[in-house]
Amino acid sequence: MLTSLPFERASKAPGVGIAPLRRTPRSLKQEYQEFILHRLEEYKNTLPRAELLQIGDEAVRELQTSAQDQYLLTEVLLLEHVDRIIARRLRLPSFPRWRQKHRALREAQREPTHWGFDRGHPIVPWAARVEPGDVVMVLGAVALPEALFLAAHDAEVFLLDQDLGAVEAAEGRAVAEQLGGGAFQALVINFGSWFPDLAPSLVVIAPACLAPLRAKQRSSLIADIQVRTPSGGVHVVLPPANESRGVIPLAPEALQTLYRGWQVQRGRRAKRAGFTAIKPPRQHDTAQPVMNVSD
């Protein structure tokens, strides 16, 4: 769970709300192995079949030369050696060299300026409260910088959008930032019919992604996510981004009415500055999830 949830700012005594569940973050070795595996698969996907077969023949020759009939040449050994040949071609870094660069990159990614926003952004205070492995749900590919910012803080981030092209672009950016794999997943979903089975402690909503929905669909979607959110969980509704032509903007105020009974904190910078809503401890959920049932 998120730590130090400020449900009641007047009460700063320890033990308020739900005690955080500490999770073990992925080791650097695991992240390195994911990085190497992704680079290898990415390279293989760019090669024609004939060239892949040539690498396989090269691997067979090298293994036969080094083995000198000391062991049986198996498919597993062959595949592993193919990966080693490709790693040589790509000059992939060793673990110590990768670790040094990775630490510097991750430190930079944990600064909001890396993603184009400042410390006054409404998501920044919550990044410090994210526990390793916390489930974070981000609605709208336009909020990709916020999603990757939270992934850099070891959250398990799920970015949801209805646009396939936007999701594919998000996946590409995550890979470029070395935040793919278990830290970040982008999913194409239909907000009106199906929703992944997640229990997010932090939800980030870009209002623009909900603009195409009817008011009843938006209400059902938000109600479903509210039920899934544990007590003490947080929803951050972002300020409206620069809307593209042809898109009818949806103001954050249109969603605020759906958070009755939650503690709502308005942004201070402008009228349409978004808001943060915190689910009260031990709130009895009266709404029922409806988004997993097709119309």
Side-chain angles (χ1 to χ4, degrees), residues 18 24 26 39 54 101 114 127 149 156-157 168-169 172 195 209 214 228 232 262:
I18 296 177
T24 304
R26 292 181 304 159
R39 291 296 305 275
Q54 288 177 2
K101 291 184 177 180
H114 181 86
F149 175 62
E156 187 178 350
V157 178
E168 289 179 341
F195 206 78
C209 75
R214 296 179 179 178
R228 297 171 185 273
W262 290 48

Side-chain angles (χ1 to χ4, degrees), residues 190-272:
N190 187 336
F191 289 149
S193 61
W194 178 84
F195 206 78
D197 188 13
L198 300 172
S201 55
L202 176 61
V203 178
V204 181
I205 301 174
C209 75
L210 304 181
L213 302 180
R214 296 179 179 178
K216 186 176 181 180
Q217 290 176 312
R218 284 197 296 269
S219 299
S220 297
L221 175 62
I222 296 299
D224 185 23
I225 301 173
Q226 288 173 340
V227 171
R228 297 171 185 273
T229 305
S231 297
V234 178
H235 289 198
V236 178
V237 178
L238 299 175
N242 294 327
E243 312 290 351
S244 59
R245 292 181 181 179
V247 176
I248 301 174
L250 178 68
E253 305 89 76
L255 300 179
Q256 187 174 338
T257 58
L258 304 177
Y259 284 88
R260 294 188 181 92
W262 290 48
Q263 178 185 337
V264 175
Q265 301 168 358
R266 294 284 304 167
R268 299 179 181 177
R269 293 190 170 186
K271 253 186 173 180
R272 304 178 69 197

